[in-house]
Amino acid sequence: MLFRRLATLALRLGRWTVQEDCVPPAPKSILTAAPHTSFVDGFWMLVAMRHYGVKIRFLMNAKHLRGPFGLLKYVGAVPVTPGKGGTTADLVKEAGTEEEFAIVISPPGTRSKQERWRSGFYHLAIETGLPIYFSYLDYGQRRVGIGTEPLIPSGDIVADMDVVREFYGGMLGRAPEQTSTIVLREELELGSAPDQA
C-alpha cells in the first residue's frame, strides 16, 4: 500500500493525469507500452503500474542490467539479448506454468525511430491465448493509463493491428520525432502496410 501511495504521489509531482477508469489487466496478460521514445518511459511505466497495483515483468536489454542496474530484476526486469532469438518461446513456456503472468512489452523495441514494430507481443498472445492490454504514456496530453478494452487476437493480423493503431493514433512520445511506425513485418509482407501519414 505504501509503494502504491508513493507511486500516486510521484505521478502527481510529474504532472501526469492518470486514467482512473481502466480495467485492471487479467492476472495473465500482455501489455503493450507505447509510444516509447525516451529512457525515462520505463521509469514512468513502472510507477504507473505500481499505482494501478499491477505486478509486472518487462523486457529489457541485458546490457542495461549490468552493475547496480541489475537490481531492476527484482522489480520485474527480464533480460533480453537482441538478435539472440528464443525470447517468445521462453515467455510462452513461462506463461503456461506461472499462476500470474503480466508482462509489459514495448513493441518498438528501442527508443529510436523504427520503420516497424516487433511482432513478438502479437505472436506471444496468439500462442498463449492471453489478452493484450494497451498501456500508454501520452506526453501530448501528459496522460498515463491502460485502455479499457483488451484485444483478443483473432489471427487476422491486419484487422487486429488496425485496433492497435486506432488506440495509439495521435499519442505523442517524449521525443515525437523518434516515434516508430505502428506496423508489423508480417503486414508489410502481405502488402497491407497502412497509411499513417
Side-chain angles (χ1 to χ4, degrees):
M1 182 62 79
L2 174 61
F3 287 116
R4 189 169 184 176
R5 289 177 178 174
L6 289 173
T8 301
L9 176 61
L11 289 168
R12 187 176 301 128
L13 292 174
R15 297 182 295 108
W16 288 100
T17 297
V18 180
Q19 176 190 339
E20 297 295 0
D21 65 343
C22 71
V23 178
K28 286 192 175 188
S29 55
I30 299 164
L31 295 91
T32 54
H36 180 37
T37 62
S38 169
F39 191 75
V40 298
D41 294 343
F43 168 76
W44 286 119
M45 188 56 65
L46 272 175
V47 172
M49 291 303 118
R50 181 66 71 170
H51 165 80
Y52 287 122
V54 180
K55 183 179 179 181
I56 61 165
R57 300 177 197 189
F58 56 97
L59 303 182
M60 192 168 181
N61 193 314
K63 71 179 182 180
H64 297 315
L65 292 172
R66 297 169 183 164
F69 292 104
L71 293 173
L72 289 172
K73 295 177 184 177
Y74 294 100
V75 293
V78 177
V80 174
T81 302
K84 183 180 179 182
T87 302
T88 300
D90 292 341
L91 293 175
V92 168
K93 185 183 297 183
E94 283 189 49
T97 58
E98 300 286 336
E99 289 186 10
E100 292 188 9
F101 183 85
I103 187 162
V104 175
I105 298 175
S106 179
T110 180
R111 299 180 301 279
S112 60
K113 181 176 177 59
Q114 301 296 308
E115 295 306 314
R116 60 180 175 84
W117 275 15
R118 297 182 182 180
S119 56
F121 79 97
Y122 185 82
H123 293 296
L124 180 60
I126 288 289
E127 293 185 44
T128 60
L130 298 181
I132 300 172
Y133 291 79
F134 307 134
S135 64
Y136 64 92
L137 293 169
D138 182 1
Y139 284 84
Q141 298 187 38
R142 202 70 188 178
R143 187 171 171 81
V144 59
I146 305 172
T148 57
E149 294 291 333
L151 170 66
I152 308 298
S154 66
D156 182 336
I157 197 166
V158 176
D160 290 340
M161 287 303 297
D162 281 343
V163 174
V164 178
R165 283 183 281 270
E166 181 177 1
F167 181 85
Y168 285 111
M171 292 189 185
L172 296 177
R174 190 167 188 263
E177 70 280 2
Q178 296 294 87
T179 303
S180 298
T181 304
I182 306 176
V183 65
L184 302 184
R185 173 179 52 81
E186 292 83 350
E187 292 181 276
L188 295 173
E189 291 175 349
L190 289 170
S192 301
D195 180 8
Q196 297 188 61

